Amino acid sequence: MNELDEFRAEKDQFFRHDPHSPLTRDARASFDGLSYFPANDALAIRGPLEIDGIDREERIVMQTTTGGEQVYRRAGVVRFEVNGEPAQLTLFASDDSHDLFIPFRDATSGNESYGAGRYLEVDPPGADDVVDVDLNYAYNPFCAYSPEWSCPIPPGENWLRVPIRAGERSFAGAHEGGLPQADD
């Protein structure tokens, strides 16, 4: 079993058995595991965190699914290709976390993946200014499983037109209430 498969198996165990699971007790009893896209090596990106032209001090206020707000700062941008199409994601920093946060929506949102988008956390770049953004670890926020959770809604700059067929897929019974719809 590789590292990604182990990560997914541990996550399923957490969802099924842990009292801190976002699933209700009833949902945990019938939980058969999360659905994932197959691993895609092309979506494990290693690239420079570009900061030229990025205002890293600007406060970025993200609305949450429950009407609240969370504040971040842009850390930089990573550029990559998906099936020959250019794409970029903004990575965000917050005072509450060492990791950089990547909330995003893509062409699969609302169909193959959770409509409000998915998340990923990555380590900050090292001295070489390179980050590892492995989209195979992209996950649904806890608000996908219960309206009791409050999750930041990905900002428009991270709404990708390309499909990111990596990471978690849609969850049967996902909670979509009050979330923006993707522009077609």
Side-chain angles (χ1 to χ4, degrees), residues 47-59:
L49 182 64
E50 298 178 20
I51 60 172
D52 287 344
I54 304 290
D55 183 348
R56 296 170 43 137
E57 298 304 318
E58 179 185 5
R59 293 178 73 243

Side-chain angles (χ1 to χ4, degrees), residues 83-103:
N83 299 324
E85 295 293 319
Q88 73 177 40
L89 285 168
T90 300
L91 286 68
F92 295 91
S94 80
D95 294 335
D96 299 332
S97 177
H98 167 77
D99 293 335
L100 300 179
F101 178 51
I102 308 172

Side-chain angles (χ1 to χ4, degrees), residues 8-18 21 31:
R8 291 174 172 183
E10 288 173 11
K11 186 161 189 178
D12 282 348
Q13 287 296 328
F14 169 78
F15 270 64
R16 184 178 297 113
H17 299 294
D18 196 290
S21 168
F31 179 72

Side-chain angles (χ1 to χ4, degrees), residues 14 18 33 39-40 48 63 67 74-75 83 90 95 121 132-133 139 146 149 163:
F14 169 78
D18 196 290
N40 183 342
Q63 300 300 309
R74 287 181 187 95
N83 299 324
T90 300
D95 294 335
E121 284 88 20
D132 291 306
V133 177
Y139 65 92
S146 169
W149 291 90

Side-chain angles (χ1 to χ4, degrees), residues 11 15 21-24 27 31 34 65-66 110 113-119 139-153 168-177 179:
K11 186 161 189 178
F15 270 64
S21 168
L23 300 176
T24 64
F31 179 72
L34 296 171
T65 55
T66 58
S113 65
Y114 180 52
R118 292 177 287 161
Y119 297 165
Y139 65 92
N140 297 327
F142 279 5
C143 55
Y145 308 102
S146 169
E148 302 297 315
W149 291 90
S150 181
C151 305
I153 298 169
E168 282 186 39
R169 296 179 63 105
S170 292
F171 177 72
H175 174 73
E176 301 278 355
L179 300 175

Side-chain angles (χ1 to χ4, degrees), residues 80-82 84-88 162:
F80 56 101
E81 287 189 359
V82 178
E85 295 293 319
Q88 73 177 40
V162 296

